Amino acid sequence: IKSNDSKLVDLGLSTFLQETASESPAPGGGSISAYVGALGASLTTMVANLSSHKRGWDDRWEEFSDLAELGQKFIVKLEKLVDDDTNAFNMILNAFRIKADTEDEKIEKESKIQSATLNAIKIPLSIMENSYNLMNLIAKLVKKGNPNSVSDVGVAVLCARAAVLGGYLNVMINIKDLKDVKLKSSMIERAEELKLLSMESEKKILKDVIKTINN
């Protein structure tokens, strides 16, 4: 379905679904987390654009256009991470496949494995960071965006939360192989923090979404 030099993000929706469903282990949970986060960013940006063109809100056009521009930045970042995560997984596989007979070759191989492992932790951690930061934009649009579109930003926060937690799972499964104890500890601490913050944020935002829907 997919050639080695093509990007996941260039695939059609159905092809992407089937590529994920195939026996190949990548794209896996990390790439899907990034894509779900990007979908959340897309919905958020849509609501900002709809709000900027809402009848009677002409004086607020610039405010919402700025928010839409910020949303676009999240789309770009998270979309890039879809392929970055799959590439990170392939880097680990390639490092493990390196032939190592001599002691020097074994040391070099281990160094490449550690480097690839660190990269495979940084990517989902970046998915977590970006998806959590997206929640700040979502919260603004829930409060002051077009109330007719509040359910859309409600779905956006569900996507963002799923992306954060999906990224968390990928950080934790890869970090077991990292040998730098100090770095390992600090990255786990940040991942745990982002997980808790995102869950708290989602809870608060959903409460505001449902309140607006029921008004």
Side-chain angles (χ1 to χ4, degrees), residues 138-206:
I138 293 170
K140 286 179 186 176
L141 284 161
V142 169
K143 289 282 190 185
K144 57 187 183 179
N146 188 336
N148 296 326
S149 303
V150 73
S151 61
D152 296 304
V153 269
V155 174
V157 80
L158 295 175
C159 289
R161 194 284 308 261
V164 173
L165 295 188
Y168 171 81
L169 295 177
N170 280 270
V171 167
M172 299 310 288
I173 201 164
N174 290 325
I175 210 160
K176 292 187 293 183
D177 298 320
L178 190 68
K179 291 184 177 175
D180 185 328
V181 178
K182 191 176 178 183
L183 185 58
K184 188 176 191 172
S185 177
S186 69
M187 292 177 99
I188 288 173
E189 190 178 330
R190 181 57 179 157
E192 294 287 357
E193 180 184 29
L194 286 166
K195 181 185 73 166
L196 290 174
L197 286 170
S198 71
M199 290 169 78
E200 287 168 11
S201 184
E202 181 217 27
K203 192 175 177 182
K204 185 176 183 303
I205 290 169
L206 276 181

Side-chain angles (χ1 to χ4, degrees), residues 55-74:
R55 186 176 295 175
W57 286 15
D58 295 351
D59 58 330
R60 302 180 69 187
W61 179 86
E62 194 172 349
E63 174 191 1
F64 288 116
S65 291
D66 288 345
L67 295 178
E69 201 173 303
L70 185 55
Q72 280 290 350
K73 288 178 180 174
F74 282 114

